[in-house]
């Protein structure tokens, strides 16, 4: 006979799960007893919040779910950060947790009990608000089938988090030798298939792109999720499009390429916003067009009726959700873009040129103008304290095609969005689903574990302090990201919302000595006060085998919203973030 916990671990191996991120507790200990002899690597950060972010980032980077595991009450509280980001940023994740039941005592409200009985917590209710799907199996057979289905649903259609709640006999009993109903082979049960748009919709999209004089692509996170980078570039070339991105779509297309226009949105590039507003045809790929991306529906920005909108999305509900679409391409982004690229071959391009459409020079010329917004005089400033714009340009100097930047929430995120010009695809990932502070630090650790690439994690001092335990996790597991703290000793974005000093409580921070923190964790800490020292410190961090924490003292008077808010955003009245 095989224990159910052992069979679950065997299922993880069969599904080629690389990492389980988690913290021992409750019935999850049943799994952890079998993991040391398995092919699954366990990463145990200092709490479930950091584990959840690490699992989310692994899924975002690989397209395959990692496992988040831990005791129910804490997966449903601390561990919600990464699950919420996974839901809103479309990252596959499988959560294996438990209800902390106490057998015959469960109706008497023992502490930590979270299966929903009177006097306890309801973990199913908590997960129901975030997970794509969740299961609460009652037997060993149901447990195995639930784990298989959790992996299937995590990647099917729009990816996201799924969960299985272990409880009582369903995890502690042995698996029946000949169960009814049967359990199938895990890899076969978890298999999924890519969806593709219909021939008719592809033909309609091709007609619209061929007729366009000013076609622009808006590439979103769906391009990352599908790994559709080559297909995106092929469509831009075939139909002579400029390429802008959403925030989550940043680095789906190299921002140094001749067709790149930058990032749209309320704190996006003014040039990118303008080129989208000037387009006569928009091809939106894997982007829901949320209010931040669309300048909070500024009426002069995107204009259905005046502009032809082709919306490609894996979820039929998302195409035409925010703006009415003229054509919907429903399917995996790689499939939709490949179909358009195949239809836009040499003969089609010649016909477009003869008709005065594509290859008119408009896209490349306007994209070049738009890219000028990646620079500003402050990017070259030698002032002390260091201008955040200069700090970002120094970070950009350390980023090549083999480097990943993880960006936190707050002002630092938008300085990076605006002034870090990505040189290649998959070089920038930000907290932009739920957008939680503290994401970038554990995200950097996970990216280093997942990819074996150089990683630079950038956060403000507030966000860094929230999850700086992850520096120790990096040391423990032998990876060496460079952690950059853009330090203004405050909750900078909120502080800059003040009308007068001190009219919002809670925005000033104690000046923590992050160098001592880094050293206590076994990392290297450096404080940078001169802009000329930052580039060298970044290169030293990238070259080292030990994590580096760089405490960059930035000019807290540089007002992000005042400098970066787009004219379209200002037209609808200001700060909604």
């Amino acid at each position: 006979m095989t224990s159910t916990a052992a069979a679950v671990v065997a299922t993880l191996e069969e599904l080629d799960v690389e990492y389980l991120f988690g913290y021992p507790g409750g019935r999850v200990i049943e799994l952890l007893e079998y993991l040391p002899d398995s092919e699954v690597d366990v990463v145990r950060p200092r709490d479930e919040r950091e584990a959840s972010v690490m699992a989310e980032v692994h899924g975002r980077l690989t397209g395959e779910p990692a496992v988040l595991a831990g005791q129910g009450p804490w997966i449903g509280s601390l561990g919600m950060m990464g699950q919420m980001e996974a839901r809103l940023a479309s990252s596959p994740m499988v959560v294996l947790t438990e209800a902390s039941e106490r057998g015959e005592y469960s109706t008497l409200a023992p502490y930590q009990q979270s299966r929903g009985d009177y006097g306890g917590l309801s973990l199913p209710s908590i997960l129901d608000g975030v997970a794509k799907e969740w299961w609460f199996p009652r037997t060993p057979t149901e447990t195995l089938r639930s784990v298989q289905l959790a992996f299937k649903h995590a990647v099917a259609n729009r990816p996201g988090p799924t969960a299985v709640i272990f409880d009582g006999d369903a995890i502690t009993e042995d698996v029946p030798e000949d169960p009814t109903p049967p359990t199938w082979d895990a890899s076969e049960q978890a298999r999924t298939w890519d969806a593709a748009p219909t021939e008719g919709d592809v033909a309609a999209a091709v007609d619209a792109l061929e007729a366009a004089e000013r076609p622009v692509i808006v590439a979103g996170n769906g391009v990352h999720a599908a790994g559709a980078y080559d297909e995106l570039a092929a469509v831009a070339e075939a139909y002579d499009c400029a390429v802008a991105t959403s925030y989550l779509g940043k680095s789906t297309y190299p921002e140094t390429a001749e067709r790149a226009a930058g990032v749209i949105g309320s704190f996006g590039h003014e040039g990118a916003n303008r080129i989208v507003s000037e387009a006569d045809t928009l091809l939106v790929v894997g982007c829901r067009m949320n209010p931040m991306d669309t300048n909070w529906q500024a009426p002069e920005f995107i204009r259905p009726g005046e502009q032809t909108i082709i919306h490609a999305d894996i979820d039929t509900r998302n195409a035409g959700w925010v703006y009415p679409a003229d054509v919907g391409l429903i399917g995996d982004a790689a499939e939709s873009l490949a179909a358009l690229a195949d239809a836009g071959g040499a003969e089609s391009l010649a016909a477009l040129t003869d008709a005065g459409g594509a290859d008119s020079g408009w896209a490349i010329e306007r994209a070049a103008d738009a890219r000028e917004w990646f620079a500003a005089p402050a990017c070259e400033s030698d002032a002390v304290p260091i201008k955040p714009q200069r700090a970002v340009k120094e970070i950009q100097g350390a980023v090549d095609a083999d480097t990943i930047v993880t960006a936190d929430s707050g002002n630092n995120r938008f300085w990076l969005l605006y002034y870090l010009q990505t040189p290649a695809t998959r070089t920038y990932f930000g907290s932009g689903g739920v957008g939680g502070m503290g994401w970038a630090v554990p995200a950097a650790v996970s990216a280093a574990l997942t990819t074996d690439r150089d990683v630079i994690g950038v956060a403000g001092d507030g966000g860094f302090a929230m999850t700086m335990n992850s520096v120790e996790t990096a040391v423990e597991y032998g990876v060496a990201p460079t952690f950059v703290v853009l330090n203004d000793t405050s909750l900078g974005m909120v502080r800059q919302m003040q009308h007068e000093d001190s009219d919002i409580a809670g925005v000033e921070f104690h000046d923590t000595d992050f160098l001592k923190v880094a050293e206590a964790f076994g990392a290297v800490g450096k404080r940078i006060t001169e802009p000329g020292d930052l580039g060298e410190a970044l290169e030293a961090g990238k070259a080292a085998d030990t994590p580096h924490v760089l405490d960059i003292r930035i000019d807290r008077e540089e007002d992000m919203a005042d400098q970066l808010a787009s004219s379209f955003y200002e037209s609808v009245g200001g700060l909604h973030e």
Side-chain angles (χ1 to χ4, degrees):
M1 301 290 284
T2 302
S3 74
T4 302
V8 169
V9 171
T11 297
L12 302 184
E13 291 181 303
E14 187 175 349
L15 295 175
D16 296 323
V17 173
E18 186 174 5
Y19 287 109
L20 181 148
F21 299 93
Y23 208 92
R27 295 293 189 189
V28 166
I29 293 174
E30 310 276 350
L31 292 185
L32 295 177
E33 288 177 343
Y34 291 95
L35 284 166
D37 297 325
S38 77
E39 297 174 2
V40 180
D41 290 330
V42 176
V43 177
R44 187 265 316 125
R46 285 303 184 116
D47 69 25
E48 292 83 356
R49 171 174 55 176
E50 294 167 54
S52 72
V53 172
M54 291 179 186
E56 184 268 320
V57 169
H58 178 87
R60 193 189 296 205
L61 291 174
T62 66
E64 300 294 334
V67 171
L68 168 65
Q71 190 172 6
W74 322 124
I75 290 296
S77 54
L78 288 169
M80 270 295 152
M81 180 177 175
Q83 293 176 73
M84 289 190 292
E85 183 70 23
R87 182 61 186 266
L88 297 182
S90 304
S91 301
M93 175 195 295
V94 171
V95 179
L96 300 181
T97 186
E98 52 82 70
S100 293
E101 54 79 35
R102 297 295 189 274
E104 294 178 354
Y105 293 91
S106 287
T107 60
L108 304 179
Y111 88 116
Q112 297 181 341
Q113 192 274 107
S114 51
R115 71 180 189 180
D117 294 339
Y118 173 74
L121 306 170
S122 178
L123 182 62
S125 297
I126 294 170
L127 292 173
D128 191 55
V130 177
K132 282 181 64 181
E133 304 289 345
W134 59 270
W135 292 262
F136 202 166
R138 296 159 294 181
T139 68
T141 300
E142 284 189 347
T143 296
L144 294 182
R145 287 188 55 79
S146 296
V147 172
Q148 293 173 351
L149 291 173
F151 279 89
K152 181 183 183 73
H153 284 271
V155 298
N157 295 322
R158 180 185 170 194
T162 60
V164 180
I165 308 168
F166 299 140
D167 199 20
D169 294 345
I171 189 65
T172 58
E173 285 191 350
D174 290 336
V175 178
E177 291 185 1
D178 189 20
T180 301
T183 56
W184 308 112
D185 176 85
S187 59
E188 293 181 2
Q189 183 73 77
R191 185 180 178 187
T192 60
W193 289 263
D194 288 337
T198 67
E199 292 182 5
D201 288 337
V202 171
V206 168
D207 288 344
L209 289 168
E210 288 180 342
E213 295 182 358
R214 300 182 303 280
V216 175
I217 298 172
V218 176
N221 190 51
V223 177
H224 277 312
Y229 309 111
D230 292 343
E231 292 86 349
L232 173 63
V235 170
E237 186 71 27
Y239 298 99
D240 194 27
C241 302
V243 181
T245 75
S246 68
Y247 175 71
L248 281 174
K250 188 176 173 75
S251 87
T252 55
Y253 191 79
E255 291 175 327
T256 53
E258 65 177 0
R259 298 181 181 279
V263 182
I264 63 170
S266 50
F267 297 121
H269 295 99
E270 184 71 14
N273 284 321
R274 288 179 185 177
I275 204 169
V276 166
S277 74
E278 294 170 12
D280 60 1
T281 298
L282 293 173
L283 171 59
V284 180
V285 185
C287 175
R288 300 188 306 279
M289 307 296 280
N290 72 52
M292 181 180 288
D293 291 331
T294 57
N295 290 284
W296 299 85
Q297 315 317 129
E300 67 275 25
F301 181 51
I302 293 176
R303 303 176 305 285
E306 293 181 39
Q307 296 171 306
T308 299
I309 298 176
I310 306 163
H311 200 158
D313 200 279
I314 199 166
D315 192 330
T316 188
R317 296 171 298 181
N318 290 351
W321 174 11
V322 176
Y323 295 103
D326 296 282
V327 182
L329 300 176
I330 307 305
D332 180 85
E335 295 287 339
S336 294
L337 289 168
L340 291 176
D342 288 345
E347 293 181 5
S348 178
L349 186 58
L352 289 169
T353 304
D354 292 342
D359 202 27
S360 65
W362 177 86
I364 291 176
E365 179 181 339
R366 288 294 292 113
D369 292 341
R371 288 193 302 278
E372 293 180 4
W373 292 87
F374 278 103
C379 294
E380 310 300 326
S381 173
D382 291 326
V384 175
I386 300 170
K387 298 292 185 184
Q389 302 94 321
R390 172 68 186 273
V392 171
K393 281 303 181 185
E394 293 295 330
I395 294 169
Q396 178 181 307
V399 176
D400 56 24
D402 294 320
T403 302
I404 290 175
V405 173
T406 64
D408 214 66
S409 186
N411 277 354
N412 64 92
R413 162 187 174 183
F414 295 112
W415 292 123
L416 285 165
L417 178 160
Y418 217 91
Y419 294 117
L420 193 152
Q421 192 171 5
T422 58
T425 61
R426 292 174 57 80
T427 50
Y428 182 100
F429 295 92
S431 168
V434 72
M437 288 176 61
W439 181 88
V441 183
V445 178
S446 183
L449 285 165
T450 297
T451 67
D452 198 30
R453 290 166 63 182
D454 290 323
V455 180
I456 300 173
V458 184
D461 49 304
F464 179 78
M466 285 182 173
T467 53
M468 59 189 176
N469 286 334
S470 292
V471 176
E472 183 189 41
T473 306
V475 172
E476 181 173 356
Y477 289 92
V479 292
T482 302
F483 302 98
V484 174
V485 186
L486 298 182
N487 193 342
D488 62 3
T489 62
S490 70
L491 192 60
M493 191 172 187
V494 178
R495 176 176 56 81
Q496 291 178 352
M497 294 178 186
Q498 296 179 134
H499 299 292
E500 298 178 5
D501 287 347
S502 302
D503 69 355
I504 298 177
V507 300
E508 298 292 342
F509 291 139
H510 168 72
D511 190 359
T512 302
D513 191 338
F514 292 126
L515 278 64
K516 289 183 178 179
V517 170
E519 292 165 0
F521 285 150
V524 174
K526 295 182 180 180
R527 178 169 295 166
I528 310 297
T529 58
E530 298 285 341
D533 296 336
L534 179 51
E536 182 178 341
L538 285 164
E539 291 299 336
K542 285 182 61 178
D545 295 328
T546 302
H548 278 48
V549 175
L550 306 183
D551 182 357
I552 315 302
R553 296 305 173 122
I554 62 168
D555 186 349
R556 69 189 340 237
E557 301 307 320
E558 287 294 305
D559 192 308
M560 184 282 298
D562 182 61
Q563 294 187 46
L564 303 188
S566 83
S567 62
F568 298 93
Y569 182 40
E570 290 176 337
S571 75
V572 294
L575 196 68
H576 293 76
E577 315 309 330

